[in-house]
Amino acid sequence: AHIDNMPDTHIPLFDRLPLLPAEIAFRLLTNCGVPRWAHLIRTHEPEVVKPASKRFTELSVRCLANILKVDYNQMDELTYRQIRLPIRHGGLGLHDWFELADAAYAASLSNESSRDRDDDPFAPVPSQGKDTSVDVVWEDTLVALKDEQPDFAAHLKRNATQISSRWLVGPITFASCQPSNVFRAAMLFRLRWAGAHPDDRTPFYCRCGFPNVKVKETTTRDMVMHLAGCPQNGGPTKRHHLVRDALAGIMTRAGYSVQTEVNLDPKGELRMDIVATPPDGQTMYIDTTVANTTSRTLRNKEDVEIFAKKDLEKRKKYHEVANSKGATYCTFAIDIYGKMCQNSRLFVNSLAADIKSRADVASQASITVGVQL
């Protein structure tokens, strides 16, 4: 009875967290609120703790819904599933304690057996059967999703990279903190939030005319993802300018002489996002491109293929001009989750090294680059 009542003792905490700035509330929920239950499921038999675990999971997810200012009852199964996956697997880290109770308790017993063997060399060796760790539960879940919901599994994979999740787990600083509504929008985009009936046929049309093919198959969630990348709505332009300006700022810190939006011909028909010259090197022409990998045309394609195609398109347009002016050309390609092509990643790493070499020991800085909606 004591354990059955424990979830409700957390209600005051879950009621107060949504009163805080959204980013702070989420961090407290995932780092302080949710882990409170981990000890219980590791130290109590599953049949004892499962009913209360189900209640605690619901309370924690309801708290997140209140932080994000959305209706808990409008969550579809895929949204609820993503919320309950670890951040490193593309989720939000609010575990389903009912689901994990068996594996967590078994893992705890296994650890105790290990300690017993350390003290007693004649202690029995545990069964060599199926791994019962919590990680295996998540791995099995992801494998099942890949077979049953390939589109959703691909979405989780894009969100699982370190750079696409850094803003959820990295240190909160004055420079990195976000207004509550910006943080909420980024969180809801990560969840592909589209209201109560995301998989129903959409009743909406974009100003660009979308959907004009497969109209009956286009869902409300498809429409939300389209709007995030449609040029008619200005989002891609703003996102492009944010990436351009962030890269220009980093290059300036690395000692480059930087100009943005430079005309390459008298008519102004060709413009380069960044023209930069290092202290002791060749001038560089850099065109930034942000791929909307949630779009219907790109979401099932590999990132390497997408970036290669973008680079080829840009090189056809700018490479010859750069050579004629004695400059090198580079496409800085990144997707909307923050994942970079290999060349972009190597370039950012070289900039970080340049910044560190220019700074004194006491003020050496590290760079984390993240892009989100």
Side-chain angles (χ1 to χ4, degrees), residues 18-30:
L19 303 178
L20 297 171
E23 187 173 13
I24 302 298
F26 173 75
R27 293 297 187 89
L28 290 175
L29 176 63
T30 53

Side-chain angles (χ1 to χ4, degrees), residues 315-336:
R315 285 187 178 278
K316 286 181 179 179
K317 187 175 181 180
Y318 296 117
H319 184 66
E320 185 176 340
V321 177
N323 280 343
S324 69
K325 295 181 181 292
T328 60
Y329 173 77
C330 172
T331 303
F332 189 86
I334 188 170
D335 78 355
I336 60 173

Side-chain angles (χ1 to χ4, degrees), residues 33-96:
V34 172
R36 291 175 175 223
W37 208 255
H39 177 71
L40 283 176
I41 66 170
R42 291 178 62 85
T43 56
H44 292 77
E45 293 184 357
E47 59 267 23
V48 174
V49 76
K50 272 189 172 182
S53 296
K54 189 172 185 178
R55 169 68 173 161
F56 186 85
T57 299
E58 179 186 339
L59 289 175
S60 61
V61 177
R62 283 185 178 275
C63 178
L64 176 64
N66 289 332
I67 291 171
L68 300 181
K69 295 190 181 298
V70 296
D71 187 348
Y72 169 86
N73 296 313
Q74 290 188 350
M75 287 186 185
D76 68 308
E77 179 55 35
L78 291 184
T79 300
Y80 196 56
R81 174 75 274 176
Q82 185 175 355
I83 287 172
R84 290 158 26 235
L85 282 171
I87 290 174
R88 69 178 183 275
H89 291 313
L92 291 183
L94 301 190
H95 307 315
D96 187 333

Side-chain angles (χ1 to χ4, degrees), residues 217-232:
E217 301 175 20
T218 304
T219 66
T220 301
R221 179 174 280 131
D222 291 333
M223 176 58 72
V224 171
M225 294 297 102
H226 167 81
L227 291 174
C230 179
Q232 294 277 348

Side-chain angles (χ1 to χ4, degrees), residues 7 12 57 130 158:
T57 299
K130 183 179 179 181
R158 294 190 189 282

Side-chain angles (χ1 to χ4, degrees), residues 89-164:
H89 291 313
L92 291 183
L94 301 190
H95 307 315
D96 187 333
W97 298 115
F98 179 91
E99 182 180 72
L100 298 177
D102 292 299
Y105 186 66
S108 179
L109 292 179
S110 178
N111 289 339
E112 287 300 320
S113 298
S114 298
R115 282 193 286 269
D116 290 341
R117 291 196 304 278
D118 291 340
D119 297 332
D120 180 6
F122 300 104
V125 177
S127 170
Q128 299 299 314
K130 183 179 179 181
D131 190 346
T132 54
S133 70
V134 172
D135 285 335
V136 169
V137 175
W138 288 318
E139 289 173 2
D140 288 345
T141 297
L142 293 173
V143 169
L145 285 173
K146 189 173 182 179
D147 293 334
E148 299 166 8
Q149 300 281 348
D151 180 60
F152 180 58
H155 168 71
L156 291 175
K157 183 179 179 180
R158 294 190 189 282
N159 279 288
T161 61
Q162 289 187 9
I163 199 165
S164 64

